[in-house]
Amino acid sequence: MAPGVINGGSSSGGTGEHLPAKLTLQVLVCSIIAAFGGLMFGYDIGISGGVTSMDVFLEKFFPHVYVKKHHAREDNYCKFDDQFLQLFTSSLYLAAVVCSLFASKCCKRFGRKVTIQLASLFFLGGVVLTACAVNLAMLIFGRLFLGAGVGFGNQAVPLFISEIAPAKYRGGLNVCFQLLVTVGILCASVVNYFTSTHPFGWRISLGGAAIPALFLAVGSLLIVETPTSLIERGQPEEGMRTLRKIRGVQDVQKEYDEIVNATEMAKQIKHPFRNLMKRSSRPQLVVSMLLQMFQQFTGINVIMFYAPVLFQTMGFKSDASLLSAVTTGCVNVLATLVAVFGVDKLGRRFLLIEASVQMLIAQSVTGGILATFLKTTNVLPKKYSYVVLFFICFFVSGFAWSWGPLGWLIPSEIFPLETRTAGFFCAVSMNMIFTFIVAQAFLSTLCIMRAGIFFFFCGWIVIMGIFAYSFLPETKGVSIDEMNEKVWKKHWFWKRYFDEEQDQDQQRDKP
């Protein structure tokens, strides 16, 4: 049997389609409102790179970087090398790691809806602090508040959407989260472009995050709680009413029974984090954490965080670099639509494997051009600058319909209920830890490795492509509460973890 292929029907469509369900307006509206957490996340990703390239911002908070940037013979690869400048970007993700733990407990105890509401409050607090900052400490503190919002939002939103969506449409609806991440990045790039020459442009850019934060705060009051969370927290009648409402049919008994059964099994687990260490939990844990780590080592955040800085390094002027960031942002949004409409048809594995090849080509060509033509103090010839811009867009498009959205979708759908919030916490934490590492180290690493950094990411793309081909099962169309039986226990490699644990249980039961 070929590596990575699942026996049975789940690879071609799964069994989730037998559950009666319509794609109701209620599910669509709730998914879009919740996904505005992604818009906020994307805006925070995109805004930092543009703000850190603004002269007014640098002159106020990082005057030594401002001097280096305008020094005639400063090394192209080291203009922005400053640990505190990197901390402005990366501090958000450090806070997100810590807050993800509290968010996972909040999700379980108080529900997904309350957790999303708390995320919006943290976002609003962070916006006020950063937009009104008068010193570096206030700026960093505001970023920490935004990081708390990211931790709570990224923990709750993908779980929320996965639990309210019918299995047939789960992939496309969940990708709405990543779609709005890309819309947020694009909005940030556009705002940065128009505010870059304004004396208080950086305050306008940072304050613009209030719009999606307010939408999420108001919208989170209108969404329903998921049936799974209601039943899990002892409200079975409300869970049944909500399930009928979001499915648009009266005959939901079979899905309700599946949720109740999963809930009863989950109640037997007093320590979900300890249960994650069981052998049968290892496949989901390993896959979800590796997907999040690999997502960061594609090199995407190098482009999304620091796109204007990167384009200035290549010789684009300030306005041109911001416009180039807008271009990549547009590509990011449009390509994510491929995932929205294709993930439940083409499948998760196909998109991940195809994109690995595409991103490898893009990173190799970009690295080769910069290594050949961008030296210490020269400007990259204009024709090569546009070639690099094309291949960066080529890279972004591949990421946007694969490792970007699927890095969030797959971990949100593969854990059984008894370890779902704990397992997704581990995945989110892994993402934030490596996002922090990449954000904090990139500008310094660019200074040391120069164009070689693109080949560093190429090596990782090869590894993740092999992983997706060999070890990632297909999960499209499978009910979220049937994932173990229909996917993991039938996978050529991961099934051994269930077989061996079952044998061990039988041995213990023998007199």
Side-chain angles (χ1 to χ4, degrees):
M1 182 177 178
V5 178
I6 308 170
N7 286 323
S10 59
S11 61
S12 60
T15 60
E17 296 176 1
H18 73 280
L19 299 172
K22 299 176 182 177
L23 183 56
T24 61
L25 182 62
Q26 181 84 37
V27 168
L28 279 173
V29 171
C30 287
S31 297
I32 291 169
I33 290 173
F36 259 76
L39 181 64
M40 188 71 217
F41 182 33
Y43 192 90
D44 285 329
I45 290 174
I47 210 68
S48 59
V51 166
T52 53
S53 71
M54 292 182 186
D55 286 346
V56 177
F57 177 81
L58 292 176
E59 199 170 12
K60 181 174 179 60
F61 294 104
F62 305 96
H64 51 292
V65 178
Y66 174 80
V67 172
K68 279 204 302 182
K69 176 183 174 183
H70 292 279
H71 196 283
R73 299 193 62 77
E74 182 62 39
D75 190 325
N76 277 323
Y77 293 96
C78 301
K79 286 181 179 180
F80 297 89
D81 179 19
D82 180 83
Q83 288 299 315
F84 285 105
L85 182 62
Q86 292 171 119
L87 186 63
F88 167 71
T89 296
S90 65
S91 56
L92 184 151
Y93 304 96
L94 192 61
V97 172
V98 177
C99 290
S100 292
L101 175 60
F102 296 101
S104 71
K105 295 182 181 298
C106 185
C107 265
K108 189 172 183 66
R109 186 169 181 179
F110 302 108
R112 285 50 160 162
K113 178 177 177 176
V114 169
T115 308
I116 293 172
Q117 290 171 339
L118 287 173
S120 67
L121 294 179
F122 281 121
F123 280 137
L124 287 170
V127 170
V128 172
L129 284 170
T130 53
C132 300
V134 294
N135 53 48
L136 184 58
M138 190 173 176
L139 194 68
I140 299 298
F141 198 61
R143 293 288 288 179
L144 293 175
F145 260 75
L146 291 171
V150 168
F152 274 74
N154 286 19
Q155 177 72 30
V157 171
L159 285 180
F160 175 87
I161 297 175
S162 286
E163 289 180 349
I164 68 167
K168 183 178 179 181
Y169 304 104
R170 187 179 63 242
L173 287 174
N174 212 306
V175 171
C176 286
F177 174 76
Q178 181 66 23
L179 176 63
L180 285 185
V181 171
T182 65
V183 171
I185 293 170
L186 175 59
C187 289
S189 299
V190 172
V191 170
N192 281 334
Y193 178 73
F194 285 108
T195 62
S196 60
T197 57
H198 192 281
F200 298 105
W202 64 273
R203 292 192 188 276
I204 298 171
S205 291
L206 295 175
I211 297 173
L214 283 170
F215 186 94
L216 182 64
V218 175
S220 64
L221 299 173
L222 306 177
I223 61 177
V224 299
E225 183 57 272
T226 71
T228 299
S229 180
L230 289 167
I231 295 168
E232 186 180 36
R233 292 183 292 117
Q235 302 176 52
E237 296 85 2
E238 184 63 25
M240 173 64 90
R241 283 195 294 271
T242 302
L243 189 61
R244 285 185 174 136
K245 183 191 296 185
I246 65 175
R247 293 291 176 259
V249 296
Q250 290 298 306
D251 182 19
V252 295
Q253 190 64 46
K254 189 166 187 177
E255 184 174 1
Y256 177 82
D257 290 342
E258 284 183 3
I259 297 173
V260 170
N261 182 55
T263 304
E264 291 302 318
M265 292 178 63
K267 285 180 180 177
Q268 298 173 22
I269 307 300
K270 302 300 181 185
H271 304 285
F273 283 96
R274 189 183 302 167
N275 204 57
L276 272 178
M277 299 301 106
K278 289 178 61 177
R279 187 173 178 83
S280 59
S281 297
R282 206 169 299 165
Q284 303 97 314
L285 184 63
V286 170
V287 167
S288 63
M289 293 179 73
L290 283 179
L291 281 173
Q292 294 285 9
M293 183 186 77
F294 287 152
Q295 186 191 74
Q296 301 314 305
F297 279 106
T298 58
I300 186 62
N301 281 334
V302 168
I303 293 167
M304 291 299 134
F305 289 157
Y306 298 114
V309 171
L310 192 62
F311 288 126
Q312 282 191 34
T313 294
M314 292 185 295
F316 287 88
K317 300 299 182 184
S318 292
D319 286 352
S321 68
L322 289 169
L323 188 58
S324 299
V326 172
T327 303
T328 58
C330 288
V331 171
N332 200 13
V333 173
L334 293 174
T336 304
L337 292 172
V338 175
V340 172
F341 296 107
V343 67
D344 289 317
K345 295 182 175 65
L346 299 172
R348 283 67 159 154
R349 287 182 70 248
F350 172 82
L351 290 173
L352 291 172
I353 294 167
E354 181 279 331
S356 296
V357 176
Q358 183 173 333
M359 291 189 298
L360 180 63
I361 293 170
Q363 290 278 37
S364 299
V365 173
T366 301
I369 291 175
L370 295 184
T372 305
F373 298 104
L374 186 64
K375 305 304 180 183
T376 301
T377 57
N378 73 317
V379 175
L380 189 69
K382 182 170 288 190
K383 62 179 179 180
Y384 292 114
S385 295
Y386 290 116
V387 172
V388 168
L389 177 59
F390 169 80
F391 276 101
I392 284 178
C393 290
F394 188 59
F395 168 85
V396 168
S397 65
F399 177 88
W401 63 54
S402 62
W403 292 90
L406 303 188
W408 293 105
L409 167 61
I410 294 171
S412 75
E413 67 184 3
I414 61 176
F415 286 98
L417 182 59
E418 59 264 27
T419 57
R420 189 170 299 160
T421 56
F424 196 63
F425 156 74
C426 292
V428 172
S429 296
M430 180 66 74
N431 182 284
M432 295 303 155
I433 288 169
F434 281 95
T435 303
F436 169 77
I437 291 171
V438 171
Q440 185 62 32
F442 169 65
L443 294 177
S444 299
T445 308
L446 178 66
C447 184
I448 296 167
M449 295 182 66
R450 307 170 77 78
I453 194 169
F454 291 94
F455 299 108
F456 169 79
F457 289 124
C458 282
W460 280 102
I461 290 170
V462 171
I463 293 170
M464 64 184 70
I466 293 171
F467 171 80
Y469 177 77
S470 300
F471 298 106
L472 189 68
E474 182 56 71
T475 56
K476 71 170 183 176
V478 183
S479 170
I480 193 170
D481 293 310
E482 295 181 312
M483 205 63 73
N484 270 0
E485 296 297 324
K486 302 299 182 181
V487 174
W488 298 103
K489 291 184 180 181
K490 295 184 178 181
H491 187 268
W492 74 276
F493 179 80
W494 299 115
K495 66 180 181 180
R496 70 189 69 184
Y497 288 86
F498 297 90
D499 294 340
E500 291 179 16
E501 184 159 289
Q502 188 175 8
D503 291 342
Q504 291 171 3
D505 290 341
Q506 290 173 352
Q507 288 294 325
R508 284 195 294 268
D509 292 339
K510 286 182 179 180

